Amino acid sequence: MKICSSFFIGLLACWGVVAQSFQETEGGISATIDSIEVEIQFFKPDLVRVIKYPEGSSYKKESLSVIMDPEDVSFNTREKGDYVSLSSKDLEVLLDLRNGNITFKRLGGRVLLQEISASFVKFNDAGEDTYSVSQSFKLDPEEAIYGLGILQNGKMSQRNQEVKMIQGNTWDFVPFFQSVKGYGLFWDNYSPTTFRDNIERTQFESEVGDGIDYYFMDGGNSDGVIANMRHLTGEVPMFPLWTFGYWQSKERYKSQEETVGVVKKYRELNVPLDGIIQDWQYWGDNYHWNAMEFLNPNFPEPQKMIDQIHDLNAHIIISIWSSFGPETQPYKDLKAGNDLLEFQTWPLSGKDTWPPDMNYPSGVRVYDAYNPEARDIYWKYLRKGLYSLGIDGWWMDSTEPDHLEFKPEDLDIQTHLGSFRKVRNAYPVLSVGGVYKNQRQETSDKRVFILTRSAFAGQQRYGANTWSGDVTASWDALGEQIPAGLNFSLTGIPYWNTDIGGFFLSKFKDKLEDPEYRELYARWLQFAAFTPMMRSHGADAPREIYQFGKKGDDIYDALEKFINLRYSLLPYIYSSAWDITHNNSSMMRALVMDFLGDSKVHDLNDQYMFGKSILVAPVTRSMYTVNKSENFGEVKSKDIYLPAGAIWYDYWDERKFNGGKRIEKETPIDVMPLYVRAGSILPIGPKVQYATQHDWNNLEVKVYPGANGEFILYEDENDNYNYEDGAYSEIKFEWKDEQKQLIIHPRKGEFEGMLKERVFNIKLVGEKQGSTSKNIKYHGEKLQVDL
């Protein structure tokens, strides 16, 4: 451990003194080693906070991510030669009194993680003396690690790379990783941070930090680590049922007639749709950027537009930004409070032209979301101009925020919490959190739903679904979305999505007329059907289903098939959402989460589990139009790996396979490989045009034999917070494979409008004997069904 001070021409002088003692504190110990104060504190028996700062200074921080108060943890302290050991019922933490390095061990078991060295380099941050800080760790050579945020690098394991972590459009960063060994580490710092991993060390290095501050957690496995991360930074609320349907958007609908017309067209075609998104410029010109009111003359009756959409049994969310034009009321209020940040952001020009005409600078500025009073001003105008009209949710664009023509001195700008550099990466969690908190104070009758372009640790507590930004359409980009979404989920933030088809079509000169793009779009939509939000969006060409032909056309039929498939799985998806809220689970699950013992999946980046039953293997390469011809008649195939330790059923033809081997799956344009794990119980919902059109009175329940299993069907009132007070029901299905017996347990809980009587159509899936079905009337009492 060292303190370094720059002097003369970059020369560094370092000094140190070995500590001889330590002191016990309320939750751990403290010691002074090599002129560095070291504090170790148990937050839970398996969760530890580590703080380090130079001797003679002080360190106090109110975390922007951590909301957990330390528990009263029982632990023992004893000296072991040059070490002091702290032991809870789960962890042993060893502090080396010679150099201040810390080792984390599972109690009575293996070493999980070891520190190598820490560093403090004096730094002047916009006139304030502080430090640049780093901490290095030693990982096992073959140890896979996951997380760090949304990374467009195509990697599943994040070993052997260097990443500069500063929020951007398509790269969102969370300074957290978890290991295949079952532990996680959250680096609680908000300044630009570099993550490095090589054969020598794994390191976080941040530009600004009065001290080193991180949390080590041992979960035993990925789910346990994620649970600890959420205990630390916030639990996940339920999303409304309607958010899990299909969503249509584009850049942008230019009139209220066009917006409503899209919904009407879907209803005429009998293609399911739950929501429409109104993108930017409904406020008019760029000088009124993000006015949070309809000033565009093409939207003369916004209340009528919203009412028409609701009358069509659809929902609308609308684009709002982190910046304001100089002619808007929010801008004027924020400027009066010195709550605008003076750097260049989108749009640069007041004229809606490309390239920007800088003879007419827009004057648009980002607001200081670090100030709670500024967040309240933001909500005041959002409430007045849009929420009061009945808008259902918020598309919070540019929550990084957009920072154009970047200059290093921009980071010297003062925010409510200090320099922009000091708090740069936490902007998303504060801006999103301001809207969530204010709306929750408004009412509990409607759940908050936020679609946002950026995220930071703790954002899962704010009803937000993060999308992967303005990615350019290509097969490589499609493939990169899979590990991007999985690694983001592995940081503890479970809700993620992507622009179906990619945002920009610059690589496809003929846009929708290009056969290869039509193939790419179909494959992207198939993948999106198995993400937490299924949302079509993009620039350069419209993406509505009817832009891809008509019923009977190959691409159109493939799109319609997967939209309907999504709706059939809503009981499964909504129950999986409850598993997230109630049990700290995840919806998009890297295969290592459920098949840790199979080393072949530790770095597999193109397959995953959707919920705990369905294995998804998206097609991420052109099969039919590589030569720009449009021939979807020939059947192609994809190589699939089925993880060991399970029996698998092909979702489409119900063929059975043993795990631990690779197989070939035929993949015509309307088929994406899907496999269901033996022991799964899969509820299939009714055919609908929107999520709540029909209740779940007559569900098909598919049972996949070959292993014991269980599933909990969750239901509630769909769009309020009454579930927090117990207004929901659970029906547990338990499959006993040896007895070929399905037990439907007594219903637990109740809510207004709950089905008290219903029919379950039980279907036993099987390769040889065909399918066995039984219709069972269920009144809430225990039933035993022999199949």
Side-chain angles (χ1 to χ4, degrees):
M1 190 179 303
K2 63 184 179 181
I3 303 179
C4 298
S5 177
S6 300
F7 66 98
F8 297 122
I9 308 176
L11 184 64
L12 296 179
C14 302
W15 64 94
V17 179
V18 176
Q20 301 298 319
S21 63
F22 65 93
Q23 300 79 39
E24 290 197 22
T25 62
E26 183 176 351
I29 62 169
S30 65
T32 304
I33 305 170
D34 279 6
S35 301
I36 298 296
E37 303 287 350
V38 181
E39 298 179 10
I40 301 172
Q41 180 184 17
F42 278 103
F43 267 50
K44 288 174 69 240
D46 55 358
L47 199 163
V48 175
R49 183 185 188 187
V50 173
I51 300 172
K52 301 179 183 180
Y53 54 94
E55 184 181 17
S57 62
S58 62
Y59 183 80
K60 292 182 179 180
K61 182 177 77 175
E62 183 176 345
S63 177
L64 302 178
S65 293
V66 174
I67 60 173
M68 177 185 179
D69 292 324
E71 297 177 358
D72 185 10
V73 178
S74 176
F75 64 94
N76 296 315
T77 304
R78 60 193 176 102
E79 292 189 64
K80 292 182 175 182
D82 293 322
Y83 295 86
V84 56
S85 166
L86 291 80
S87 298
S88 71
K89 67 182 184 66
D90 295 323
L91 276 181
E92 181 180 16
V93 183
L94 292 166
L95 173 63
D96 190 330
L97 295 172
R98 297 166 299 178
N99 56 29
N101 288 338
I102 299 171
T103 299
F104 302 93
K105 297 177 63 177
R106 197 163 284 150
L107 193 64
R110 68 195 295 196
V111 171
L112 296 174
L113 183 66
Q114 295 174 286
E115 290 185 349
I116 297 176
S117 62
S119 175
F120 296 81
V121 178
K122 289 184 177 180
F123 178 71
N124 186 278
D125 178 30
E128 182 177 340
D129 290 334
T130 182
Y131 299 90
S132 294
V133 296
S134 70
Q135 177 68 60
S136 298
F137 304 90
K138 182 69 174 177
L139 273 62
D140 295 343
E142 302 302 319
E143 181 180 349
I145 60 172
Y146 313 99
L148 301 182
I150 299 175
L151 280 63
Q152 304 286 347
N153 60 9
K155 292 169 63 71
M156 191 62 237
S157 174
Q158 299 300 321
R159 296 299 303 270
N160 303 311
Q161 66 166 326
E162 180 172 317
V163 180
K164 177 73 171 182
M165 306 178 80
I166 183 167
Q167 304 292 15
N169 182 322
T170 59
W171 293 64
D172 297 337
F173 296 108
V174 180
F176 169 91
F177 71 82
Q178 62 165 285
S179 165
V180 72
K181 292 166 70 173
Y183 70 82
L185 188 145
F186 171 47
W187 179 257
D188 194 12
N189 186 290
Y190 323 121
S191 70
T193 295
T194 299
F195 171 83
R196 297 185 183 91
D197 178 79
N198 52 47
I199 58 173
E200 297 178 351
R201 66 188 62 228
T202 302
Q203 181 188 67
F204 284 108
E205 181 179 29
S206 295
E207 292 186 9
V208 179
D210 295 333
I212 289 168
D213 192 344
Y214 73 86
Y215 296 81
F216 176 89
M217 57 201 77
D218 178 24
N221 56 37
S222 286
D223 283 309
V225 171
I226 287 170
N228 263 334
M229 187 59 174
R230 293 192 193 146
H231 291 323
L232 189 67
T233 63
E235 310 293 338
V236 184
M238 282 294 288
F239 283 22
L241 177 60
W242 49 265
T243 65
F244 295 107
Y246 177 68
W247 283 79
Q248 186 61 61
S249 178
K250 76 168 185 178
E251 188 286 305
R252 59 196 180 270
Y253 297 123
K254 296 184 179 181
S255 71
Q256 65 184 67
E257 288 79 10
E258 184 184 10
T259 305
V260 175
V262 172
V263 182
K264 287 181 177 178
K265 185 67 173 177
Y266 271 86
R267 293 290 180 252
E268 291 168 5
L269 293 171
N270 292 318
V271 175
L273 179 77
D274 258 275
I276 189 83
I277 303 176
Q278 180 59 55
D279 205 342
W280 59 2
Q281 297 294 23
Y282 60 89
W283 50 72
D285 61 80
N286 288 349
Y287 298 114
H288 290 87
W289 184 268
N290 195 36
M292 294 181 172
E293 55 181 323
F294 288 89
L295 302 176
N296 188 324
N298 291 319
F299 295 85
E301 299 178 284
Q303 185 68 71
K304 178 181 177 181
M305 177 185 74
I306 294 165
D307 291 344
Q308 287 176 318
I309 290 169
H310 289 164
D311 289 343
L312 289 164
N313 296 298
H315 295 80
I316 179 171
I317 66 176
I318 198 163
S319 172
I320 55 175
W321 288 62
S322 300
S323 52
F324 294 95
E327 296 302 318
T328 64
Q329 289 301 313
Y331 181 102
K332 294 171 183 176
D333 266 14
L334 291 162
K335 184 178 181 180
N338 198 28
D339 287 321
L340 295 171
L341 305 181
E342 293 294 324
F343 59 81
Q344 295 293 314
T345 191
W346 178 264
L348 291 173
S349 174
K351 296 174 66 176
D352 189 14
T353 58
W354 187 261
D357 184 348
M358 293 313 296
N359 292 313
Y360 302 92
S362 70
V364 172
R365 291 292 178 267
V366 170
Y367 92 105
D368 186 358
Y370 303 102
N371 187 345
E373 292 182 2
R375 298 195 294 269
D376 288 345
I377 291 172
Y378 190 97
W379 173 254
K380 179 178 76 171
Y381 287 100
L382 181 58
R383 182 187 186 281
K384 176 183 177 183
L386 297 175
Y387 181 75
S388 63
L389 297 176
I391 295 289
D392 297 295
W394 314 112
W395 184 6
M396 296 188 68
D397 211 334
S398 187
T399 45
E400 314 80 66
D402 269 319
H403 190 166
L404 307 180
E405 300 184 358
F406 173 82
K407 300 184 291 294
E409 57 266 28
D410 289 347
L411 296 178
D412 292 338
I413 293 169
Q414 290 300 303
T415 76
H416 182 73
L417 295 179
S419 78
F420 192 34
R421 179 182 295 104
K422 182 177 181 180
V423 290
R424 174 67 183 88
N425 284 339
Y427 191 94
V429 73
L430 292 167
S431 59
V432 169
V435 172
Y436 176 86
K437 289 179 178 178
N438 275 293
Q439 188 174 331
R440 281 302 311 259
Q441 291 175 359
E442 198 77 27
T443 180
S444 290
D445 293 336
K446 188 174 184 61
R447 295 177 195 167
V448 182
F449 178 68
I450 296 170
L451 174 64
T452 179
R453 198 169 76 182
S454 194
F456 193 73
Q459 198 154 303
Q460 72 278 356
R461 64 184 184 252
Y462 292 140
N465 192 319
T466 306
W467 94 93
S468 59
D470 299 338
V471 297
T472 298
S474 71
W475 290 99
D476 286 343
L478 171 57
E480 289 164 357
Q481 300 316 296
I482 301 169
L486 294 174
N487 275 290
F488 185 63
S489 294
L490 286 162
T491 68
I493 307 177
Y495 287 110
W496 174 92
N497 70 104
T498 181
D499 290 347
I500 295 175
F503 184 73
F504 294 112
L505 302 188
S506 53
K507 295 186 177 181
F508 294 93
K509 180 180 178 181
D510 296 327
K511 312 305 180 190
L512 300 192
E513 299 305 313
D514 189 319
E516 186 180 1
Y517 180 70
R518 296 164 77 84
E519 180 186 5
L520 172 64
Y521 185 85
R523 295 305 193 188
W524 208 311
L525 182 136
Q526 291 168 5
F527 161 59
F530 291 86
T531 63
M533 185 180 188
M534 186 182 187
R535 181 187 58 89
S536 173
H537 179 67
D540 304 324
R543 312 293 175 84
E544 298 83 18
I545 187 173
Y546 45 85
Q547 309 292 347
F548 294 87
K550 61 184 184 303
K551 200 169 185 66
D553 294 341
D554 290 323
I555 297 297
Y556 182 100
D557 288 351
L559 302 179
E560 183 181 31
K561 177 179 178 178
F562 271 81
I563 293 172
N564 277 302
L565 176 59
R566 170 76 172 198
Y567 277 84
S568 74
L569 291 173
L570 283 181
Y572 173 77
I573 294 170
Y574 200 55
S575 297
S576 297
W578 175 242
D579 200 20
I580 291 170
T581 296
H582 195 58
N583 300 312
N584 286 303
S585 186
S586 301
M587 192 171 292
M588 286 185 71
R589 302 175 60 82
L591 294 181
V592 69
M593 298 181 73
D594 297 299
F595 305 97
L596 181 61
D598 186 349
S599 61
K600 293 180 180 178
V601 308
H602 289 184
D603 200 22
L604 195 61
N605 69 348
D606 64 348
Q607 298 177 199
Y608 62 97
M609 296 296 290
F610 186 63
K612 294 177 179 175
S613 296
I614 303 174
L615 185 146
V616 183
V619 177
T620 58
R621 289 290 177 266
S622 176
M623 293 182 172
Y624 296 99
T625 59
V626 288
N627 297 317
K628 301 297 181 181
S629 64
E630 190 163 3
N631 176 18
F632 298 114
E634 184 180 357
V635 176
K636 305 289 186 176
S637 62
K638 176 180 170 65
D639 181 60
I640 310 294
Y641 179 71
L642 298 176
I647 297 170
W648 298 94
Y649 290 84
D650 187 313
Y651 179 84
W652 303 106
D653 60 24
E654 300 184 354
R655 292 176 60 202
K656 185 168 67 173
F657 299 88
N658 291 321
K661 62 181 182 180
R662 306 199 74 90
I663 64 169
E664 288 286 320
K665 170 62 181 174
E666 291 186 347
T667 51
I669 194 62
D670 68 338
V671 171
M672 179 178 70
L674 300 170
Y675 291 85
V676 183
R677 186 178 185 176
S680 295
I681 300 164
L682 207 61
I684 304 298
K687 185 176 176 58
V688 293
Q689 295 302 297
Y690 52 93
T692 58
Q693 183 180 16
H694 300 306
D695 59 30
W696 296 343
N697 178 51
N698 194 2
L699 292 183
E700 180 181 45
V701 179
K702 290 185 175 182
V703 179
Y704 291 81
N708 293 332
E710 64 178 47
F711 180 83
I712 294 177
L713 178 67
Y714 172 83
E715 295 169 292
D716 63 16
E717 296 170 24
N718 298 328
D719 194 8
N720 59 40
Y721 289 98
N722 291 344
Y723 73 88
E724 294 181 342
D725 298 320
Y728 63 86
S729 74
E730 296 178 320
I731 300 174
K732 179 179 177 180
F733 295 80
E734 181 183 5
W735 172 247
K736 295 185 175 181
D737 193 64
E738 186 175 346
Q739 295 87 349
K740 293 294 180 283
Q741 187 179 91
L742 180 69
I743 298 174
I744 308 176
H745 289 267
R747 181 180 56 235
K748 292 183 178 180
E750 60 181 353
F751 58 92
E752 186 175 346
M754 180 184 71
L755 288 170
K756 296 184 178 180
E757 298 180 0
R758 65 203 308 166
V759 174
F760 292 124
N761 177 17
I762 312 297
K763 177 182 177 181
L764 181 65
V765 174
E767 180 181 3
K768 294 181 179 179
Q769 76 273 24
S771 298
T772 301
S773 298
K774 287 188 177 181
N775 288 330
I776 303 297
K777 291 184 178 180
Y778 179 72
H779 301 279
E781 290 82 29
K782 181 177 179 180
L783 287 177
Q784 178 177 304
V785 184
D786 296 314
L787 296 170

